Amino acid sequence: MIKYIPNKNYLLDSWQIKWKIPLQLLMMFFLICSFTLPPDEDNEEYNIKAAFIYRFTNYIDWDSLIPGKEFTIGIIGSSPVKSQLDEIAKTKTVKDKKIIIVQFNKPEDIGPCQILFISQKTSFHLGDILAKVPGKGTLTISEKEGYAKKGAAINFIEVDNKLKFEANPKGISAAGLKASSQLLKLAIIVE
Amino acid sequence: MRFKLLLIGFFFTIPFVSHGLGDSLSTAAHLSDFSLEELMNIPIYSVSKTEESTFDAPLSSTVITREEIKKAGCTSIMEALRLCPGVIVREETNGNYTVDIRGLDDLPPNLGVYFLANSTTLVMIDDRPVYNYLHGGTFWETLPVDLNDVEKIEVVRGPAAAMYGPNAESGVINIITRKPEKKGLYIVANAQYGRYNTGIANASLGYNFKDKFSVIVSGNFQTRERTQSGYYNVASNQFIPIDSFVTNDSLRKARYPNPNLAMRKYGYNALFNYKINKNASISVQAGGQNSQVQDIFANEFLTTALSTSYYANIKARVYGVDLQASYLTGTQTPAAANDNQKWNFNSTDILLDYHITQVKNLDITPGLSYRRSVYDDRKYANVANMEGLFNGRVESYTFAAFLRGDYKLFQDKLRLVAAGRLDKFNAPSKLYFSWQFAATYKLSEKHLLRIVESRANRAPLFLETYYNITIPLGPGLEILGLGNQHLNLLTTDMLEFGYRGKIRENLEVDIEIFGTSTKNFTNVIVGALDSTAAGKNLVFQFQDLPLVARQIGGTISVNYVLGKFQFKPYITIQHTTLFNYSPYAVSPNAPVSPFSPSPATQNINSGMGTQTSNLATPTVYGGAYINFQITSHLNLNFNPYFMSQYTQLDNDNLTYHDGIRGVENVTPKFIMNVMISYTFFKKLTLFANFKNCFSDKTREFYRGDIPGFMVSGGVNFEF
């Protein structure tokens, strides 16, 4: 059996051929990445959540629990939903009242509001937040698994890549609110 | 040139298309006019939801989900691995592949097709190893499951034997099968038919009784014809007709019962899950497979490989104690009607571990493992004349003890993972220790740094340990081919750094940079002349080589979701340097012979102190998963895959030494796959599947078939 060592020139040639294409591909990769960097668009999920929050107001009866001429939606924890709600507030009203969006940073800051959206990014415990929700008239909406069971009135969940919501009728009535049967029919009821 | 323009043109349209889609996304103000029912029906997409989250994983890992596999139109588990970063998937013949994690292939170079593919990747199905202990790697066609059974494929890159056992040296591929998640009836069925008479039919039927007890039975079938006729002949460097090299009719029929067939296989499985209570559960799996493929083995031409096997796998969990016992048995013929290529085999795996949790942020898992594998060719080979490969019943086993620890501190910001495993094999007899240290540090919720240091070894292979043949050369002179029970096991050390970042809500980046060093390669070495009363023996025996392979490389993967558009490109760049490589498989003590013309100067030590490059691993490879969910019914997916130029060196290179024969120069490959699917009523999907759209005709593997453009169509039903 005759043995053979690949000669140096052959190796060198292969090496050059090997590197040329890779470098081109690498450049292309970075080009693609730089081109496809996302523009500052808001996440579609929060577009939908904001629309949900707005639509919920049609199915909840605050009765006489909305003082003043404004309908306040509070948000605790940073969330992309804020800019979306701001967008809705520009053109829509709730029960003929102007929509105001308020950002709260910690539970102690929570002031009077008709809806309190609890962002999944907040680092505070749900119990601490609910303890600070002032009296009656606030619909709490969360977006974390198990939160409806733990006391939030409404909780967003994802089923098969679609947004659904859980409703906790006890939590809703404890807040002095009434939910329409239509809303409860669409919701996943959590006791 | 045309190819390049197409490539560039294609990629450059992506940003514009994607931005276009972004613009058309509904705004909150627009959506606020929708009813609740309508809002509930809008599909949502985001990085964390479309991909199994591996953000916190301490090792380099990727999860390929069932959804991705389906949308990409993959037709087999092997093909689905092209969706994974850091994995090189090369097609030998239609549907038959070799799969390498981070290369480490064709080592040592010029050795022969036995070792052209990576032999150090541990493949498992539901944690049950399906490793090929003969010469390492995996006989992919012998997996009993197919895509209808797959929930996800988890891939770990880098040595991980401390966690997964021997052979997890380049990495681990764990195929996780589906269970009926929802209560009630579960049906999955799909069928497709396409070019080269490729036909695939799979079905699963299951039932989930109140989340307590579930059962699934499944079956799969694939048939594929070759993309060309003729067989590659090294001497003429051409594809030649079958009757020109096997002239005997009956032998030809035995060796090549179906010359046009690339693959025909079927598999069947049954799975029972029983959840006794919150703390106790048991699952039992059993099944079998039968396969016939034509692919590349250690012979001059393509061979017909036949296999029949059966398995059982039991997993039980009781209060933190996990017990897994599995058994695989079968008959294997990697080269039909070749005297020494048929045997019975079986392997047993028993794993017991105890998960001790939450001792001050510390999780500890001690465990024990037993693995045994047996090959027996007595039934098929003429053992008296030493015509088999082993000429007997040979076994390899290991008892092992392991300990894993997982410690979190500084409010879970820092995580330390350590694992060690001690293996005691029957041969070689020395103790082997594999380990793994990993640390992750979360700079914030969105940025994670990683470091991994690990060592892993391969299990002893039957070929190198128990090879036992005799070839008469002439009167009074024989060649003895021998294995070696005292070899050092192939061992890899790795140091790796990684970063994962959630740059935005819809953009994730994963970067890994690794360096590895692998030693204890082996080869059949021409040894000293052995004189016996009957005459002289020239001994060819497996021996350790001084060769060391060092890899350096990195992988970048990106996952970007914009509304209904998802873009996941991934690219790996790597280089392997060989130290002390000598092409001479000759001992310095060998006699001067036609096999060892000048043993004093041309021997296994002739390469000491030298450095060469391993050309077999492409320097750059990767791909992308590009998905457009055009409407809630219509989906369009592009999944390109590319490999830069690579050169495989076979033993024929040493025979012909002309730089052509035995040298597979593969020019850069670009394979574009496109899948269009339309779903009716969430259950029924019709699809058209296009593979290798630009009809890249470069052969991907030495002696393999030339791949072709493939179109197929089919239907998928899920209930």
Side-chain angles (χ1 to χ4, degrees), chain A residues 42-61:
Chain A
D42 294 303
N43 191 296
E44 182 157 22
E45 181 180 336
Y46 284 93
N47 288 346
I48 305 171
K49 280 184 177 167
F52 261 113
I53 293 169
Y54 172 73
R55 296 303 296 183
F56 286 150
T57 62
N58 290 347
Y59 300 92
I60 299 285
D61 187 1

Side-chain angles (χ1 to χ4, degrees), chain B residues 505-580:
Chain B
E505 185 71 21
N506 59 351
L507 178 70
E508 272 187 14
V509 176
D510 194 336
I511 300 171
E512 58 205 41
I513 295 166
F514 60 90
T516 71
S517 177
T518 304
K519 61 181 182 184
N520 304 335
F521 290 94
T522 61
N523 195 358
V524 188
I525 303 301
V526 185
L529 208 57
D530 179 28
S531 300
T532 63
K536 288 188 188 315
N537 296 321
L538 193 55
V539 179
F540 282 60
Q541 188 172 30
F542 273 93
Q543 282 182 29
D544 292 315
L545 300 177
L547 173 67
V548 174
R550 289 199 186 144
Q551 295 179 301
I552 183 155
T555 297
I556 307 174
S557 37
V558 173
N559 187 6
Y560 168 48
V561 176
L562 183 63
K564 293 160 186 173
F565 167 71
Q566 186 180 12
F567 180 44
K568 281 174 75 172
Y570 40 91
I571 188 167
T572 300
I573 303 171
Q574 69 173 87
H575 179 248
T576 309
T577 309
L578 306 181
F579 294 83
N580 307 333

Side-chain angles (χ1 to χ4, degrees), chain B residues 120-376:
Chain B
T120 52
T121 299
L122 177 63
V123 179
M124 303 194 286
I125 302 172
D126 292 320
D127 303 315
R128 174 177 73 86
V130 286
Y131 190 73
N132 148 28
Y133 292 94
L134 173 68
H135 65 291
T138 306
F139 287 118
W140 286 96
E141 72 277 11
T142 68
L143 304 190
V145 295
D146 209 335
L147 290 175
N148 58 315
D149 300 300
V150 173
E151 175 62 34
K152 60 186 176 184
I153 303 173
E154 297 174 347
V155 177
V156 175
R157 291 176 290 277
M163 301 230 186
Y164 299 94
N167 306 316
E169 197 171 344
S170 295
V172 180
I173 296 170
N174 196 3
I175 300 159
I176 310 291
T177 61
R178 284 181 82 165
K179 294 160 188 69
E181 279 158 15
K182 292 179 188 163
K183 288 175 202 165
L185 192 65
Y186 159 93
I187 303 171
V188 174
N190 60 67
Q192 71 175 300
Y193 183 78
R195 200 174 173 205
Y196 306 116
N197 279 327
T198 298
I200 301 167
N202 298 332
S204 309
L205 178 67
Y207 201 86
N208 177 335
F209 300 88
K210 297 176 180 173
D211 280 335
K212 265 302 239 195
F213 178 70
S214 65
V215 56
I216 291 188
V217 288
S218 74
N220 59 76
F221 173 77
Q222 288 212 19
T223 179
R224 292 166 186 261
E225 284 191 355
R226 291 176 58 203
T227 50
Q228 64 169 92
S229 58
Y231 289 75
Y232 177 70
N233 172 241
V234 187
S236 63
N237 190 31
Q238 278 177 344
F239 285 88
I240 58 171
I242 189 169
D243 39 6
S244 64
F245 65 95
V246 200
T247 44
N248 180 313
D249 268 2
S250 59
L251 185 62
R252 190 168 61 236
K253 278 178 188 154
R255 282 194 182 166
Y256 298 100
N258 298 294
N260 292 325
L261 189 74
M263 166 186 277
R264 183 179 297 150
K265 69 180 181 97
Y266 63 82
Y268 46 89
N269 303 275
L271 165 72
F272 305 90
N273 271 311
Y274 181 43
K275 196 173 169 187
I276 300 158
N277 61 38
K278 219 172 102 187
N279 297 308
S281 60
I282 184 164
S283 76
V284 180
Q285 263 172 310
Q289 66 81 32
N290 180 286
S291 62
Q292 180 184 135
V293 298
Q294 281 197 90
D295 65 358
I296 297 147
F297 193 61
N299 301 58
E300 195 181 344
F301 295 92
L302 283 188
T303 59
T304 302
L306 307 167
S307 165
T308 306
S309 63
Y310 311 94
Y311 77 95
N313 187 20
I314 298 171
K315 281 170 114 174
R317 167 169 288 190
V318 185
Y319 291 94
V321 177
D322 281 310
L323 173 70
Q324 176 168 17
S326 62
Y327 184 69
L328 171 70
T329 183
T331 307
Q332 206 169 51
T333 314
N338 282 277
D339 297 342
N340 57 1
Q341 309 277 6
K342 188 172 185 179
W343 42 77
N344 292 335
F345 73 99
N346 67 66
S347 62
T348 308
D349 279 87
I350 299 169
L351 188 76
L352 178 71
D353 65 37
Y354 179 48
H355 197 52
I356 307 164
T357 54
Q358 303 294 325
V359 188
K360 286 184 184 170
N361 294 333
L362 178 67
D363 290 1
I364 294 181
T365 309
L368 297 168
S369 151
Y370 171 70
R371 279 185 187 176
R372 186 187 70 152
S373 192
V374 175
Y375 278 70
D376 189 345

Side-chain angles (χ1 to χ4, degrees), chain B residues 72-136:
Chain B
C74 303
T75 57
S76 68
I77 289 169
M78 299 76 96
E79 204 193 323
L81 289 163
R82 281 187 165 159
L83 299 178
C84 181
V87 180
I88 304 166
V89 182
R90 289 181 258 225
E91 192 173 41
E92 294 181 350
T93 54
N94 184 9
N96 296 304
Y97 297 86
T98 62
V99 178
D100 305 350
I101 294 183
R102 290 180 177 171
L104 215 62
D105 50 333
D106 196 9
L107 287 172
N110 297 305
L111 187 58
V113 286
Y114 264 125
F115 294 107
L116 268 182
N118 167 305
S119 65
T120 52
T121 299
L122 177 63
V123 179
M124 303 194 286
I125 302 172
D126 292 320
D127 303 315
R128 174 177 73 86
V130 286
Y131 190 73
N132 148 28
Y133 292 94
L134 173 68
H135 65 291

